Amino acid sequence: MRLLRSTDLALRLLMRLAVLEGGTPTTREVAADMEVPYTHAAKVVAELQHLGLVDARRGRGGGLSLSDRGRTASVGAVVRAFEGDGDVVECEGDSPCPLNSGCRLRGALRRAQEAFFASLDPLTLADVTADPTGPLLLQIGRTP
């Protein structure tokens, strides 16, 4: 299973915000630091804000910060929110699979997907930003 780019960016953005002390970077700064297009970062920030994980303030003195909910959020819950609960493979749609009526693979893939999410559920941002990751996150975007 491969995560969507938006899921990857959401996790990295949350991790970055989790280690910043007192800083409130703007979406534009985060996009530049993580070397992603501003429009992509803005969509991810909007979704994180909608989920209640990030507080975004506009104007002078504004920027991004983790909400209380964001500090305690499960990594698995974040991944589920961005990835959705769709099947790993497309069994129906424009060209439905001919095995659809008697396929045992679909259920096995669903169980594997749930096991993947379940393995991420107990992890929090504190878990994934502990040393040595935290100090590395602080170096992102800095020029030597």
Side-chain angles (χ1 to χ4, degrees):
M1 182 172 166
R2 184 178 184 100
L3 295 179
L4 297 171
R5 285 182 47 211
S6 57
T7 306
D8 174 47
L9 179 57
L11 291 170
R12 289 187 296 137
L13 192 147
L14 289 170
M15 291 169 64
R16 178 71 185 264
L17 292 177
V19 298
L20 290 178
E21 295 179 12
T24 53
T26 65
T27 302
R28 196 165 299 282
E29 291 168 340
V30 168
D33 287 349
M34 297 192 173
E35 300 178 359
V36 297
Y38 168 76
T39 54
H40 187 58
K43 289 176 187 176
V44 169
V45 166
E47 182 62 21
L48 290 170
Q49 189 176 12
H50 175 75
L51 294 169
L53 304 174
V54 168
D55 292 323
R57 290 177 303 285
R58 292 179 181 250
R60 187 177 189 145
L64 305 173
S65 62
L66 276 183
S67 67
D68 290 337
R69 184 175 179 187
R71 292 187 193 291
T72 60
S74 156
V75 172
V78 174
V79 173
R80 274 187 186 88
F82 275 83
E83 293 292 315
D85 60 356
D87 288 326
V88 176
V89 294
E90 174 102 20
C91 297
E92 300 172 15
D94 293 339
S95 332
C97 176
L99 302 175
N100 202 12
S101 64
C103 182
R104 298 181 71 176
L105 180 60
R106 185 177 189 179
L109 291 173
R110 171 57 85 179
R111 288 188 299 278
Q113 181 181 28
E114 280 308 311
F116 171 74
F117 289 140
S119 70
L120 297 174
D121 284 340
L123 295 173
T124 65
L125 288 178
D127 296 324
V128 296
T129 57
D131 285 346
T133 306
L136 291 173
L137 285 163
L138 292 171
Q139 297 301 315
I140 292 174
R142 290 189 182 170
T143 54

